[in-house]
C-alpha cells in the first residue's frame, strides 16, 4: 500500500468540513440532542457479533457521523484494511505484512504474505494442533516433570505483547480455567517479580513457558535464565546437568536459533511468524499458557470470536461497522475536541487487566508523531488509554470525569449475565454492578443542572459544587456474558478500532521504534552501575544519579 500520494490529513477538505462542523455545533448539549430526537438511542446503536454497542451518548449528530465517514472514505481506510487482510506489507518501516487476522481464520482459508505466495494458514493450524497436544498433556497429567511429578503450575515468562495478552485473558477467563493448574506470569526484570512467582512453588511440579517473539528481550532472557537456575538448584541435579530443562521449559518464539542457544530443545518450541506483531500475538502460540489453563476448546472458541469481528470489520457497511465507528469517534475527540485521553472502564472484575492490555495495543500502535512518509504530523494521534474496573474507579477518579476540566471520552463495558457456572456472589451483586454502569453513563451524559440542584433545597453557595455539567461522552458495550468468544470479539473490536485510527492519522501502527532508545541506553548505563565503568556521553543528571546510586549501594 503506497500512501505517498495521499494529501496531508489536515489539508483534506473532509477534515476542513469537520472543523467547520465542530465550530458550528460546539455547545450543543447531549440533553438537547436527546430531547430533539426520540429515536437517537435506537439509531445510534450498532451490533457486532454478540456486542451491542450504544454510541448515542457521544457528542455527534447524524451530520457529524456522515462527515466522519467521508473522512474514512477520503483516507481510504477500507483500502488499507483490505491490504492488511490480504497480506500486503503495510508495516512499511519494518517491511512486514500484518496478518494477525490469519491466526484466527478457519483451516480452509487461504492467506499469503504479498510477494511470497505461500498460504500461511496451514502452518497456523499445525502450530495450533501442536499447542493443543501439549496443553492436553499438561492438563491430563501425561506431561511429567523431571522427577515424574505432575505439573501443577505453569509460569509464563515474557513481557509486553508476550505477557499482557495471555495474562489479561487468563484473568478474564478464570472461570473457564482448570482450577487445579495455576498459571502465573512473570514479566518485570525486577527480581521481585520472579521471586514472588516461584518462591512457594515446587520446582518438580513447575513448567516454564518462555514467550518472546525475538528471544532477545533482556527482561525475558534474564528472568528465564534465573528461572533455569532456580529449577536446577531446586531439583538438586548435579552441577552442569541440564537434562531436566527439557521437561520444565518450553519456548514460544519466531527465533529457533536463539531458543536453542538458550538451551531449550526446539521440539519444545511453538512457532509464530514475523507477520504477527507482539501486541497482536496472544491468539498465536503466545497464548500457550492461556490455552493450557482454559483448554483447547475454549481457546478455539476465543479464536472464533476474534474471527467473527474480523468478518464484521471486513464486510459491514460503514454505517454499521463497529470498529470503524469507534475509531472515528476517537478521531473526532482527539482532532476537534482536544481530548487527550480515553478511559476504558469494564464493569467486570474478570476484566481487571483489560485496560492494561489495551494500553500496549493502542499506545504502542498509535503513539507516533510522524506520518508514513516520515513527516511530522500536525494533528493529534493516539490518546493516553487508561482505566480500571467499575465500581472501584467510581470511588477514586470518576470525580474528575464528572466535574473536572478535561474531556475524557470513556467506554463502559458490561455483561448481562455473570459468568455461568460461577457463583455470582450473594444475590443482587450483578444487578447492582450493572446499575452502576448504567447510572454512570447517564450521569456523565446528562449531569444535573443548577436548577435541579436548587430544587432539592441545596444552599445557594453549594449549588456550583453540586452541579454536574454532563455532556461527557461514553460508549456502552453490552454483551450477554464474558465467554471466550466474547473476549475474542472485544479484543478484535479494539484491534480494528486502533487500526482505523492509525489509517486516518496516516501513521504506521505496527512498528514500535519508540521503545528502542531506552533499551539501548539501559545497556550502556548498566556497566556504570555494576562496575563503575566510564560511560561516554552520559549527561550530567544521569551521571550524578548513578554516582549517588553507587554510593548508596556501597560501591
Ligand atoms: O519493547 C517493545 C516490544 O518489542 C513489544 O512490542 C513486544 O511485545 C515486547 O517488546 C516483547 O518482545 P518479545 O516478544 O520479542 O520478547
Amino acid at each position: 500500500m503506497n500512501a505517498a500520494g495521499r494529501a496531508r490529513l489536515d489539508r483534506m477538505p473532509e477534515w476542513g468540513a469537520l472543523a467547520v462542523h465542530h465550530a458550528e455545533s460546539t455547545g450543543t448539549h447531549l440533553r438537547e440532542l436527546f430531547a430533539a430526537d426520540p429515536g437517537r438511542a435506537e439509531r445510534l446503536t450498532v451490533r457486532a457479533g454478540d456486542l451491542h454497542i450504544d454510541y448515542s451518548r457521544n457528542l455527534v449528530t447524524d451530520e457529524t457521523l456522515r462527515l466522519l465517514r467521508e473522512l474514512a472514505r477520503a483516507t481510504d481506510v477500507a483500502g488499507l484494511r483490505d491490504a492488511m487482510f490480504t497480506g500486503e506489507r503495510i508495516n512499511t518501516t519494518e517491511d512486514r505484512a500484518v496478518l494477525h487476522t490469519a491466526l484466527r481464520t478457519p483451516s480452509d482459508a487461504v492467506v499469503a504474505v504479498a510477494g511470497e505466495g505461500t498460504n500461511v494458514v496451514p502452518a497456523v493450524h499445525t502450530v495450533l494442533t501442536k499447542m493443543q497436544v501439549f496443553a492436553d498433556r499438561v492438563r491430563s497429567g501425561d506431561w511429567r516433570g523431571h522427577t515424574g511429578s505432575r505439573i501443577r503450575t505453569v509460569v509464563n515468562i515474557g513481557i509486553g505483547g508476550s505477557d499482557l495478552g495471555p495474562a489479561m485473558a487468563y484473568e478474564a477467563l478464570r472461570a473457564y480455567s482448570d482450577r487445579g493448574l495455576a498459571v502465573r506470569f512473570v514479566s518485570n526484570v525486577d527480581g521481585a517479580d520472579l521471586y514472588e512467582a516461584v518462591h512457594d512453588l515446587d520446582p518438580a511440579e513447575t513448567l516454564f513457558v518462555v514467550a518472546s517473539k525475538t528471544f532477545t528481550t533482556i527482561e525475558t532472557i534474564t528472568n528465564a535464565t534465573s528461572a533455569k537456575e532456580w529449577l536446577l538448584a531446586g531439583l538438586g541435579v548435579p552441577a552442569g546437568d541440564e537434562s531436566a530443562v527439557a521437561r520444565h521449559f518450553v519456548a514460544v518464539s519466531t527465533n529457533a536459533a536463539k531458543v536453542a542457544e538458550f538451551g531449550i530443545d526446539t521440539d519444545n518450541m511453538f512457532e509464530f511468524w514475523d507477520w504477527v506483531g507482539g501486541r497482536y500475538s496472544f491468539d498465536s502460540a503466545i497464548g500457550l499458557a492461556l490455552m493450557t489453563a482454559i483448554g483447547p476448546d475454549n481457546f478455539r472458541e476465543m479464536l472464533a470470536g476474534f474471527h467473527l469481528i474480523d468478518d464484521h470489520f471486513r464486510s459491514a457497511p460503514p454505517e454499521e461497522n463497529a470498529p470503524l465507528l469507534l475509531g472515528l469517534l476517537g478521531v473526532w475527540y482527539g482532532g476537534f475536541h482536544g481530548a487527550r485521553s480515553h478511559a476504558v472502564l469494564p464493569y467486570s472484575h474478570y476484566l481487571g487487566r483489560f485496560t492494561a492490555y489495551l494500553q500496549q495495543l493502542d499506545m504502542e500502535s498509535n503513539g507516533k508523531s510522524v506520518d508514513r512518509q516520515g513527516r511530522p504530523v500536525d494533528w493529534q494521534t493516539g490518546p493516553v488509554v487508561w482505566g480500571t474496573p467499575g465500581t472501584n474507579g467510581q470511588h477514586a477518579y470518576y470525580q474528575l470525569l464528572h466535574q473536572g476540566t478535561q474531556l475524557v471520552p470513556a467506554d463502559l463495558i458490561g455483561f448481562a449475565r455473570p459468568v455461568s457456572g460461577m457463583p455470582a456472589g450473594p444475590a443482587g451483586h450483578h444487578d447492582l454492578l450493572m446499575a452502576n454502569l448504567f447510572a454512570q453513563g447517564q450521569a456523565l451524559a446528562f449531569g444535573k443542572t443548577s436548577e435541579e440542584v436548587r430544587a432539592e433545597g441545596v444552599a445557594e453557595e453549594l449549588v456550583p459544587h453540586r452541579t454536574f455539567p454532563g455532556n461527557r461522552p461514553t460508549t456502552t458495550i453490552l454483551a450477554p456474558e464474558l465467554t471466550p468468544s466474547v473476549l475474542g470479539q472485544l479484543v478484535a473490536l479494539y484491534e480494528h478500532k486502533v487500526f482505523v485510527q492509525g489509517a486516518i492519522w496516516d501513521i504506521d501502527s505496527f512498528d514500535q521504534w519508540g521503545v528502542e532508545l531506552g533499551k539501548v541506553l539501559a545497556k550502556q548505563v548498566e556497566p556504570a552501575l555494576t562496575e563503575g565503568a566510564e560511560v561516554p556521553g552520559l549527561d550530567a543528571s544521569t551521571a550524578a544519579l548513578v554516582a549517588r546510586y553507587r554510593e548508596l549501594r556501597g560501591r
Side-chain angles (χ1 to χ4, degrees):
M1 177 82 191
N2 179 7
R6 187 178 138 172
R8 302 277 289 168
L9 179 63
D10 55 352
R11 302 212 191 116
M12 288 182 167
E14 291 78 6
W15 186 264
L18 278 161
V20 171
H21 172 71
H22 175 254
E24 285 168 0
S25 60
T26 215
T28 312
H29 199 286
L30 279 169
R31 275 195 292 264
E32 297 163 55
L33 293 176
F34 272 84
D37 178 6
R40 180 178 170 94
E42 204 175 319
R43 206 174 60 257
L44 302 192
T45 293
V46 71
R47 187 75 192 259
D50 295 313
L51 310 177
H52 172 99
I53 303 169
D54 176 338
Y55 61 100
S56 64
R57 290 189 288 212
N58 281 282
L59 307 179
V60 293
T61 60
D62 290 340
E63 178 63 359
T64 324
L65 293 165
R66 188 187 69 75
L67 292 171
L68 285 167
R69 287 193 299 269
E70 280 300 303
L71 183 69
R73 192 194 46 72
T75 51
D76 196 22
V77 173
L80 193 67
R81 174 199 65 196
D82 294 344
M84 172 174 75
F85 275 93
T86 53
E88 298 283 331
R89 294 170 187 271
I90 63 166
N91 176 0
T92 48
T93 68
E94 295 180 326
D95 191 26
R96 284 182 183 159
V98 175
L99 273 178
H100 46 276
T101 51
L103 298 169
R104 52 255 192 164
T105 49
S107 55
D108 57 355
V110 178
V111 185
V113 174
E116 290 184 7
T118 314
N119 179 14
V120 300
V121 178
V124 166
H125 283 267
T126 302
V127 173
L128 268 175
T129 305
K130 184 172 171 179
M131 290 166 65
Q132 174 158 358
V133 170
F134 170 81
D136 282 339
R137 286 190 65 198
V138 174
R139 288 164 66 82
S140 69
D142 179 44
W143 180 291
R144 297 272 159 171
H146 183 65
T147 63
S149 295
R150 190 179 174 140
I151 299 301
R152 302 275 173 206
T153 307
V154 174
V155 180
N156 187 84
I157 298 179
I159 196 164
S162 300
D163 165 73
L164 288 163
M168 175 278 287
Y170 175 62
E171 289 302 328
L173 301 176
R174 272 274 170 131
Y176 294 83
S177 68
D178 177 346
R179 301 291 183 150
L181 181 73
V183 181
R184 295 181 181 180
F185 291 85
V186 174
S187 54
N188 199 337
V189 78
D190 183 342
D193 198 4
L194 180 64
Y195 171 77
E196 289 298 339
V198 300
H199 79 95
D200 57 347
L201 297 181
D202 178 352
E205 298 179 345
T206 304
L207 187 137
F208 292 93
V209 176
V210 185
S212 174
K213 180 175 171 180
T214 55
F215 230 77
T216 57
T217 304
I218 190 86
E219 291 90 339
T220 299
I221 301 307
T222 303
N223 277 324
T225 304
S226 300
K228 191 158 81 173
E229 281 166 18
W230 172 84
L231 176 93
L232 296 174
L235 289 176
V237 294
D241 177 2
E242 295 209 349
S243 56
V245 169
R247 311 303 310 154
H248 293 271
F249 275 81
V250 299
V252 180
S253 189
T254 58
N255 192 342
K258 286 281 174 196
V259 169
E261 198 180 297
F262 179 81
I264 297 178
D265 187 342
T266 44
D267 282 352
N268 290 341
M269 169 178 151
F270 298 80
E271 189 195 6
F272 67 116
W273 307 272
D274 74 353
W275 41 261
V276 183
R279 53 194 174 273
Y280 297 87
S281 67
F282 91 79
D283 44 1
S284 72
I286 289 291
L288 185 66
L290 172 67
M291 185 197 267
T292 308
I294 64 173
D297 290 348
N298 285 319
F299 192 86
R300 284 183 189 272
E301 191 195 314
M302 183 184 79
L303 295 185
F306 273 97
H307 184 62
L308 200 65
I309 299 300
D310 292 344
D311 274 352
H312 167 92
F313 182 45
R314 280 184 102 171
S315 60
E319 297 77 9
E320 294 162 27
N321 197 306
L324 179 70
L325 284 164
L326 296 192
L328 288 172
L329 289 170
V331 169
W332 174 235
Y333 292 125
F336 300 96
H337 286 268
R340 303 228 174 265
S341 82
H342 184 93
V344 179
L345 309 168
Y347 278 68
S348 163
H349 185 69
Y350 287 119
L351 288 182
R353 301 217 55 199
F354 190 64
T355 310
Y357 166 75
L358 289 185
Q359 283 180 326
Q360 187 198 14
L361 176 66
D362 201 321
M363 294 165 76
E364 198 167 76
S365 296
N366 285 344
K368 312 284 164 67
S369 54
V370 294
D371 70 11
R372 275 183 278 224
Q373 281 72 53
R375 300 167 299 191
V377 297
D378 294 326
W379 46 91
Q380 191 176 307
T381 59
V384 174
V385 176
W386 62 280
T388 50
T391 55
N392 293 358
Q394 291 174 204
H395 297 272
Y397 50 77
Y398 276 41
Q399 165 66 39
L400 183 148
L401 299 185
H402 285 287
Q403 290 186 315
T405 52
Q406 297 197 31
L407 179 82
V408 184
D411 297 345
L412 304 168
I413 304 173
F415 303 92
R417 293 188 297 271
V419 173
S420 316
M422 286 294 293
H429 278 227
H430 194 74
D431 289 338
L432 185 55
L433 173 72
M434 291 302 291
N436 272 278
L437 181 158
F438 297 132
Q440 289 299 326
Q442 186 180 349
L444 286 162
F446 304 109
K448 194 171 184 182
T449 63
S450 46
E451 291 73 33
E452 287 165 340
V453 176
R454 262 185 214 106
E456 288 174 354
V458 170
E460 193 55 34
E461 67 272 21
L462 285 181
V463 168
H465 300 279
R466 299 192 50 177
T467 297
F468 288 67
N471 217 28
R472 318 242 157 168
T474 56
T475 299
T476 305
I477 304 176
L478 186 62
E481 188 175 321
L482 182 53
T483 60
S485 167
V486 165
L487 181 69
Q489 293 176 46
L490 273 174
V491 174
L493 175 72
Y494 280 97
E495 283 179 350
H496 297 320
K497 171 198 162 176
V498 167
F499 172 89
V500 165
Q501 297 186 332
I504 291 174
W505 290 325
D506 199 17
I507 54 180
D508 186 337
S509 298
F510 300 100
D511 62 17
Q512 56 286 317
W513 299 108
V515 297
E516 293 305 320
L517 179 61
K519 287 187 194 174
V520 171
L521 291 180
K523 262 196 196 146
Q524 285 172 8
V525 171
E526 198 196 350
L529 306 187
T530 50
E531 304 150 21
E534 275 293 318
V535 178
L538 217 58
D539 69 274
S541 165
T542 311
L545 288 166
V546 167
R548 179 72 180 137
Y549 173 85
R550 284 183 55 80
E551 198 182 309
L552 289 169
R553 295 293 307 258
R555 289 178 178 153

